[in-house]
Amino acid sequence: MHYSKPNESSSSTAGGSGRAATGRHPVYKGVRRRNNGKWVSEIREPRKPNRIWLGTFPTPEMAAIAYDVAALALKGRDAELNFPNSAASLPVPTSTSPRDIQAAAASAAAALGAANDALRNTNPTVVAPEKHLMGDDFVDEDMIFDMPNVLCNMAEGMLLSPPRWDTAATYQPPADDDGDAVNLWKFP
């Protein structure tokens, strides 16, 4: 989604405070724009006057996803989210401490930024060979299949012991068998 810069005069805002250049995002909760065009995100701790600073981001979507991570950590499943359909895929902070929430929020925002970069083909050194070979846009399979985690999950699977073979049950060959039942090359 693309949002244009507001071009309203400062007198159109409440109190004439000059919030035309900065201010809350019209769609995303917990996101506001700085004078320099960057987007910031913060969240208020429930039942406290404190706010947790989540960071400064180049896009409002990155700031919004950081807010979602913090909202889930502080308010639980009942939190109002910017992207409710992606709640299950967001990182979960190890605790509700501000430092852990900030780290998880930064991780989610960085992942969204990397996904947006891959989808926009912003890296011409990677895009050029793929377009030359396939004739299509570059698709980052590592990101799509979450390759680092896939490899870790495969490694964990290798640590599991295989199911036990029931040695107590014995194989009973059919009555018309001449004892060569294991031979795969015996055809009728």
Side-chain angles (χ1 to χ4, degrees):
M1 219 179 268
H2 175 71
Y3 295 98
S4 60
K5 294 181 183 178
N7 55 5
E8 303 167 357
S9 66
S10 62
S11 63
S12 66
T13 59
S17 62
R19 288 182 51 149
T22 63
R24 293 183 183 171
H25 193 276
V27 176
Y28 298 130
K29 189 172 174 67
V31 176
R32 60 187 166 88
R33 186 183 181 111
R34 285 262 172 104
N35 285 333
N36 61 1
K38 302 255 177 148
W39 296 89
V40 297
S41 181
E42 60 186 356
I43 189 169
R44 185 178 301 276
E45 292 184 68
R47 297 175 297 281
K48 292 183 182 177
N50 303 337
R51 291 180 184 227
I52 298 175
W53 179 256
L54 301 173
T56 303
F57 307 97
T59 66
E61 291 81 12
M62 290 173 71
I65 204 84
Y67 175 86
D68 285 358
V69 169
L72 283 171
L74 294 173
K75 300 174 183 176
R77 294 186 329 193
D78 297 331
E80 290 183 41
L81 302 177
N82 295 309
F83 304 106
N85 293 338
S86 65
S89 64
L90 295 176
V92 178
T94 55
S95 72
T96 57
S97 74
R99 188 168 293 187
D100 290 340
I101 291 173
Q102 289 168 338
S107 172
L112 179 68
N116 286 341
D117 287 347
L119 293 174
R120 283 191 212 124
N121 299 325
T122 58
N123 190 351
T125 60
V126 174
V127 175
E130 288 291 327
K131 282 189 175 184
H132 178 69
L133 293 174
M134 294 179 56
D136 290 334
D137 289 339
F138 172 72
V139 177
D140 189 2
E141 289 91 2
D142 289 349
M143 180 191 64
I144 292 171
F145 296 116
D146 195 20
M147 285 307 284
N149 289 336
V150 167
L151 296 175
C152 289
N153 292 340
M154 288 173 58
E156 287 176 8
M158 295 295 290
L159 296 175
L160 297 175
S161 60
R164 299 240 176 218
W165 186 323
D166 189 13
T167 56
T170 57
Y171 174 72
Q172 297 293 329
D176 62 338
D177 188 24
D178 59 357
D180 205 15
V182 198
N183 188 355
L184 296 176
W185 300 107
K186 182 178 178 185
F187 295 104

